[in-house]
Amino acid sequence: MPELLKMYLIICPLIFLGSFVDSVAGGGGLITLPAYMMAGVPVHFAAGTNKVVAGCGAATATVKYFRSGKMRIRPALGAAVGALIGGYIGAEIAKLLSDGLLKGLMLVALPVVAVFLVLKKDFGQETGEKVYSPRYEAGVSVAIGLFIGCYDGMIGPGTGTFMIMCFTALLGMDMVTASGCSKVGNLASNVAAAASFIVGGKVMWILVVPAAVCSMIGGYCGSRYAIRGGSKKIRGMIFIVLGMMFAKMIYDLWMG
C-alpha cells in the first residue's frame, strides 16, 4: 500500500499539470507519459494508462470549449475523422523509418515554428474569423486531421499544438477556437489508441480512477484559463510546449 500511495503522489500532480497544459496548447503527453515511468510503471502500461486517462481530460476540455462557444463543430469533426485515418497511416510509416531520422526532422521543424511565431506576432489573434465555403472548410479540416494524425502516429508529442496552428493558419480561427477544435481531434485519437491498449491488456487500472480525476480537473482548469486568457495565453503556452519538445528531442538523440 505505501508503494501504491507513492505512485499516486508522483503521478497525480503531474497528470493535473499535463492535462492543464494540453487543454491550453497541446503537448501534455510530454509531462504525463514520463510521470508514469517515474513512478515505476512499465513503458507499455504507461502508454496504455496514459491514453485512457488523457481521454478523460480531453473529453472534459472538449465539453468546456463547446459550452463556451469556442468551437466550430464541422471542422472539429472533420479533423477527428482525418486523425483516426492519419494515426493509422503514421504508425505504419513509423515502422519503415528510423527513430533517429524522425527526431532529426523534428529538431529542424521546431525552431522554424518558434521563429515563425516570434516574427508573426499577430498570428491567431481575435481579429474576426474568416468565412470559407463549406466544401473548403470540410476538405481542409479533414486534411489537418489526416496529416497531423499521421504525425501523431509517427512521432506523437505536440499533436494538439500543431493542430491548433493549422486551424489558425488555414481556417482563419483565433487560437482559442482552434484549441477547442483540436480537442475533438485529440479525443478521437485518444479513444482509438485507448481501445487498442485496453484490448491488449496494457492498462494499469488501479491508477486510472485517481489519475483520471486529476486529468479531468486539469482539463477543465486549462480550458477555462485559455478561454478567459485568449490567444495571448495560448501563444505563450505554445512556446513552452515547443521548448519542452525541443529539449526532449535533443535528450533522446543524445542518450540514444
Side-chain angles (χ1 to χ4, degrees), residues 37 170 210 219:
M37 292 187 282
L170 301 178

Side-chain angles (χ1 to χ4, degrees), residues 234-252:
I234 296 177
R235 181 188 176 90
M237 191 71 77
I238 285 177
F239 277 113
I240 294 173
V241 171
L242 292 175
M244 289 193 302
M245 289 172 63
F246 190 73
K248 182 180 184 301
M249 294 295 175
I250 291 178
Y251 175 80
D252 288 346

Side-chain angles (χ1 to χ4, degrees), residues 27 37 53 58 100 167 191 219:
M37 292 187 282
V53 171
F167 276 127
V191 168

Side-chain angles (χ1 to χ4, degrees), residues 7-49:
M7 294 175 75
Y8 288 154
L9 292 176
I10 294 172
I11 290 171
C12 288
L14 291 174
I15 295 303
F16 170 84
L17 177 62
S19 183
F20 182 96
V21 170
D22 197 68
S23 64
V24 176
L30 292 164
I31 299 171
T32 59
L33 189 56
Y36 293 104
M37 292 187 282
M38 283 172 56
V41 179
V43 63
H44 289 100
F45 281 89
T49 307

Side-chain angles (χ1 to χ4, degrees), residues 4 8 18 23 46 72 89 103 105 112 117 128 139 178 191 195 197 249:
L4 182 60
Y8 288 154
S23 64
R72 282 161 53 182
I89 295 172
K103 289 176 179 175
L105 292 173
V112 171
L117 285 175
V191 168
F197 281 113
M249 294 295 175

Side-chain angles (χ1 to χ4, degrees), residues 49-186:
T49 307
N50 184 57
K51 283 299 181 184
V52 173
V53 171
C56 297
T60 303
T62 297
V63 171
K64 179 62 177 175
Y65 277 108
F66 176 75
R67 294 183 65 181
S68 299
K70 291 297 183 179
M71 182 187 295
R72 282 161 53 182
I73 299 300
R74 284 186 301 184
L77 293 178
V81 172
L84 289 172
I85 300 170
Y88 177 81
I89 295 172
E92 292 299 307
I93 293 174
K95 297 174 185 177
L96 305 176
L97 301 178
S98 71
D99 190 54
L101 174 61
L102 293 174
K103 289 176 179 175
L105 292 173
M106 285 301 299
L107 283 176
V108 176
L110 291 174
V112 171
V113 173
V115 169
F116 171 79
L117 285 175
V118 169
L119 296 177
K120 194 165 177 58
K121 296 185 182 299
D122 61 343
F123 182 75
Q125 292 185 1
E126 295 90 344
T127 55
E129 293 188 5
K130 299 178 183 178
V131 178
Y132 298 96
S133 70
R135 181 177 296 179
Y136 173 85
E137 189 177 75
V140 170
S141 61
V142 171
I144 289 172
L146 185 65
F147 285 104
I148 303 301
C150 188
Y151 163 80
D152 192 19
M154 286 194 296
I155 304 175
T159 297
T161 306
F162 293 129
M163 197 171 284
I164 290 170
M165 296 190 67
C166 286
F167 276 127
T168 302
L170 301 178
L171 288 176
M173 296 183 187
D174 65 81
M175 281 191 173
V176 180
T177 302
S179 184
C181 290
S182 75
K183 290 306 114 203
V184 181
N186 274 351

